[in-house]
Amino acid sequence: MSSDRVDYIAPWWTYWLHNFPHINLRFQPIDKTFQPEDENYQQSLIFLGCVAAAGLGLNLLCLAIYLSCLCCCRKEEEEESKKPNSCCVTWSAVAAGLITCVAVGVGFYGNSETNDGVYQMTYSLYNANHTLGGVDSLGITLPFGLKQVSGTMSNMRSGLHQHLARLDEIFATRGDYVQTLQFMQQMADNVIKQLLGLSDWEKAKVDLASIADQSATIEYYRWLTYLLLLILDLIICLLACLGLAKQSRWLLTTMMVFGVLTLVLSWTSLGADLATAVGTSDFCVSPDKYIMSKTKDVISADIVHYYLYCNQTLSNPFQQPLAIFQRSLTTMQIQIQGLLQFAVPLFPTAERDLLGIQHLLNSSEASLHQLTALLDCRGLNKDYLDAMVGVCYDGVEGVLYLCLFSILAACAFTVMLCAIPRAWRQIACREQDYDDMDEEDPFNPRARRLGSQNPDHTNMHSFCSYSSSMGSQTSLHPPAPAVSNAPMSEYMNHTALFGGNPRYENVPLIGRGSPPPSYSPTMRATYLSMTEEQRRHFGNDFQA
């Protein structure tokens, strides 16, 4: 037995989670011992999920209050007030995008760690089940086996009985040989009695392979669900950023709906992960205690201690029956060897049965050596430690990272849901400003875009606008001479400045419903307060 065996030590985060308050649904503190069958303990884990549900409700309530304030408390739509809001929306989108990227990265790592831990546990369970199956096929079952007596012991008892019955008939005339056969039969019965008297293992029968299969199936669907959730979070974040860049109101509205759905999923996953982490940590803090309590009525405590701790201070509980088995086989082989030497010359027909018994004893001795190796605690204890390390180290650590992912995702989508309504409102205000402008205004960007799409329509509009403007100008005021006397170089500069259309540079600024959109707020206010005469001089100065 190895003297440098590493014992299982629970990690610090399991103790931290184990110290979480355990409160049932009646708000009563309960014992923190891992008791999955106890109703109060189950309620304590459900209570943790209810805490996450309360967090979701509080989050949605804060969002509702924020949106209500945003809709009811409208400010004046001026450029000075819009500028900081636009900056706030931009930085909010950047922060939401960065937090989402960090959350997705943490989620992928946590999902992978949890999957690795569960895989290590299922692999250890398969190995332990293979060891127990080998022990069972060799003759005796361990605390988690399948049968009581099978394989070697069953074959030895039936085969030895047949050979001894025939030899008893052959050696009927020799009393000393008959006594030797009876002695061998007594020794065989004693061996079987010793092996059968260890314990009644049928009550502790557990199929570890079935448990491993169920765990692997549940883990596969859990891993796939989180993978889809991570991809969904990333896609929603990218589409929301695209909607902000494109200033698409329908895309932002759609992403807002999906953002609320993802927010609900994040809080739900947080509740499930938190309950799983706390329950698993309660087991990981003292797994030996739970196993001992589950097997105390069906398995000897010495056997459980031997395989859980595998200490040099603990003796092998199977050592005595195995030693009796070995001594009995050695004695029977000596007896058979003597009969072959002295009885076969007198009874040649007995040679076949004696050789059959000798072969049976040799095969039983080989199986005994294999059985002794399998019954050693080191193999099963290593599988036990590997399973505990997989669950309590990689598994619980991965679930903690998934909890962090859920928290970061909830924060990111909360920021996103706060930024989208402001962005939607700014887009609506900008479109309303364009609607208030004169469509025939050459300074209106929308009119210029329409003109580039439909040149004929633009030319007709420009001509009509030009004629009406000139007519009104002729009837009220004389034409401005500065426009007609402009040099060719200035004419070409103004043509390039106002979109490349030579009709727009001669359009006077008087008679306009609104100043050009390129004016600053101060210039717009000054323009609107001017008289027609002042606007004409102001427009001539602007064109010059």
Side-chain angles (χ1 to χ4, degrees):
M1 191 178 298
S2 177
S3 59
D4 56 348
R5 188 188 68 87
V6 179
D7 292 329
Y8 166 75
I9 301 176
W12 64 266
W13 53 81
T14 58
Y15 288 100
W16 177 64
L17 291 170
H18 178 67
N19 290 328
F20 273 31
H22 288 61
I23 302 174
N24 59 15
L25 297 181
R26 293 182 295 274
F27 299 98
Q28 298 174 349
I30 65 169
D31 187 17
K32 299 179 181 180
T33 305
F34 182 70
Q35 300 172 346
E37 300 87 0
D38 185 63
E39 182 179 358
N40 286 327
Y41 184 80
Q42 295 174 0
Q43 291 182 5
S44 68
L45 298 182
I46 297 175
F47 181 81
L48 296 175
C50 294
V51 172
L56 171 62
L58 183 62
N59 194 350
L60 294 178
L61 179 62
C62 293
L63 283 175
I65 295 175
Y66 171 79
L67 294 177
S68 300
C69 295
L70 187 65
C71 295
C72 298
C73 305
R74 290 184 173 273
K75 298 180 181 179
E76 297 181 0
E77 297 177 353
E78 297 178 354
E79 293 293 333
E80 291 84 2
S81 62
K82 291 179 183 178
K83 213 166 188 182
N85 290 339
S86 176
C87 181
C88 179
V89 170
T90 301
W91 283 109
S92 298
V94 171
L98 291 177
I99 296 175
T100 302
C101 292
V102 173
V104 170
V106 171
F108 272 111
Y109 178 76
N111 199 30
S112 177
E113 281 292 299
T114 305
N115 184 259
D116 291 342
V118 176
Y119 174 78
Q120 184 173 349
M121 181 197 71
T122 55
Y123 184 77
S124 300
L125 289 177
Y126 284 128
N127 282 344
N129 190 74
H130 178 73
T131 301
L132 297 175
V135 171
D136 183 63
S137 65
L138 287 174
I140 183 172
T141 310
L142 283 179
F144 311 103
L146 304 175
K147 306 174 191 175
Q148 278 190 328
V149 176
S150 60
T152 302
M153 295 307 304
S154 179
N155 295 333
M156 189 184 88
R157 182 168 58 177
S158 60
L160 185 62
H161 180 72
Q162 294 175 2
H163 290 299
L164 291 178
R166 286 194 294 265
L167 288 175
D168 190 57
E169 296 177 357
I170 297 173
F171 297 150
T173 58
R174 294 293 302 266
D176 52 346
Y177 293 161
V178 172
Q179 289 181 357
T180 302
L181 296 178
Q182 291 176 354
F183 177 72
M184 293 176 60
Q185 182 66 52
Q186 291 176 359
M187 296 189 67
D189 292 340
N190 187 35
V191 169
I192 296 175
K193 182 180 179 180
Q194 288 290 331
L195 296 178
L196 288 177
L198 290 176
S199 287
D200 186 8
W201 306 124
E202 285 291 325
K203 296 180 181 179
K205 179 173 62 177
V206 176
D207 189 0
L208 297 181
S210 177
I211 296 177
D213 291 337
Q214 294 177 3
S215 301
T217 302
I218 295 174
E219 170 58 21
Y220 170 75
Y221 286 109
R222 186 212 61 80
W223 174 84
L224 183 61
T225 301
Y226 268 98
L227 182 63
L228 295 178
L229 181 60
L230 292 168
I231 295 175
L232 178 64
D233 287 356
L234 195 59
I235 291 176
I236 291 176
C237 180
L238 293 177
L239 291 180
C241 293
L242 180 62
L244 291 173
K246 292 287 187 179
Q247 297 184 353
S248 173
R249 287 193 291 177
W250 71 267
L251 185 57
L252 290 178
T253 304
T254 305
M255 291 304 103
M256 189 170 182
V257 174
F258 279 99
V260 173
L261 175 62
T262 309
L263 189 64
V264 173
L265 293 177
S266 298
W267 281 101
T268 303
S269 64
L270 176 61
D273 291 336
L274 185 60
T276 303
V278 172
T280 308
S281 298
D282 292 339
F283 170 75
C284 292
V285 167
S286 56
D288 303 343
K289 181 179 179 181
Y290 175 73
I291 295 175
M292 290 290 295
S293 65
K294 296 297 293 183
T295 58
K296 63 180 180 180
D297 296 331
V298 293
I299 304 174
S300 172
D302 296 337
I303 297 176
V304 178
H305 274 87
Y306 176 70
Y307 286 103
L308 290 181
Y309 302 107
C310 197
N311 254 306
Q312 283 187 346
T313 58
L314 298 175
S315 60
N316 189 344
F318 303 103
Q319 186 63 41
Q320 182 179 357
L322 291 177
I324 294 175
F325 192 2
Q326 178 65 54
R327 289 196 298 268
S328 300
L329 288 177
T330 303
T331 303
M332 286 189 288
Q333 286 176 343
I334 294 174
Q335 296 293 333
I336 292 298
Q337 189 67 32
L339 290 176
L340 284 173
Q341 183 177 1
F342 299 104
V344 170
L346 300 176
F347 303 94
T349 56
E351 183 178 7
R352 179 180 177 182
D353 290 313
L354 290 174
L355 291 176
I357 293 176
Q358 188 180 43
H359 175 72
L360 183 60
L361 294 176
N362 290 335
S363 63
S364 297
E365 186 176 13
S367 298
L368 175 63
H369 294 312
Q370 299 179 24
L371 184 62
T372 303
L374 291 174
L375 288 177
D376 188 80
C377 65
R378 287 174 291 184
L380 287 177
N381 183 260
K382 180 181 182 302
D383 295 332
Y384 164 72
L385 293 178
D386 290 343
M388 295 307 304
V389 169
V391 172
C392 301
Y393 281 80
D394 295 340
V396 177
E397 181 185 7
V399 174
L400 284 178
Y401 277 109
L402 290 178
C403 291
L404 179 60
F405 152 72
S406 300
I407 295 174
L408 292 177
C411 295
F413 283 100
T414 300
V415 174
M416 184 182 299
L417 291 175
C418 292
I420 288 179
R422 285 188 172 275
W424 197 91
R425 179 181 173 185
Q426 289 179 8
I427 295 172
C429 293
R430 187 177 294 109
E431 293 183 355
Q432 184 178 1
D433 290 342
Y434 287 156
D435 292 339
D436 293 340
M437 296 179 184
D438 188 3
E439 293 185 358
E440 299 177 359
D441 187 354
F443 296 97
N444 188 352
R446 178 179 294 180
R448 292 166 61 184
R449 289 197 300 267
L450 294 175
S452 63
Q453 297 174 1
N454 192 354
D456 297 336
H457 178 73
T458 303
N459 292 340
M460 185 178 299
H461 251 299
S462 301
F463 178 74
C464 295
S465 176
Y466 174 75
S467 300
S468 62
S469 300
M470 290 301 295
S472 62
Q473 184 182 8
T474 305
S475 61
L476 297 176
H477 303 282
V483 175
S484 59
N485 295 333
M488 183 59 66
S489 61
E490 184 178 354
Y491 175 83
M492 296 303 294
N493 291 335
H494 281 287
T495 301
L497 176 63
F498 297 110
N501 196 333
R503 299 180 185 272
Y504 292 154
E505 82 280 2
N506 291 329
V507 177
L509 292 176
I510 60 175
R512 289 174 51 92
S514 60
S518 59
Y519 278 13
S520 65
T522 304
M523 295 176 65
R524 290 171 64 90
T526 304
Y527 182 85
L528 292 175
S529 64
M530 289 180 179
T531 62
E532 294 293 334
E533 183 68 21
Q534 291 174 337
R535 290 182 182 180
R536 185 178 55 148
H537 291 295
F538 185 76
N540 292 339
D541 294 340
F542 175 77
Q543 291 178 1

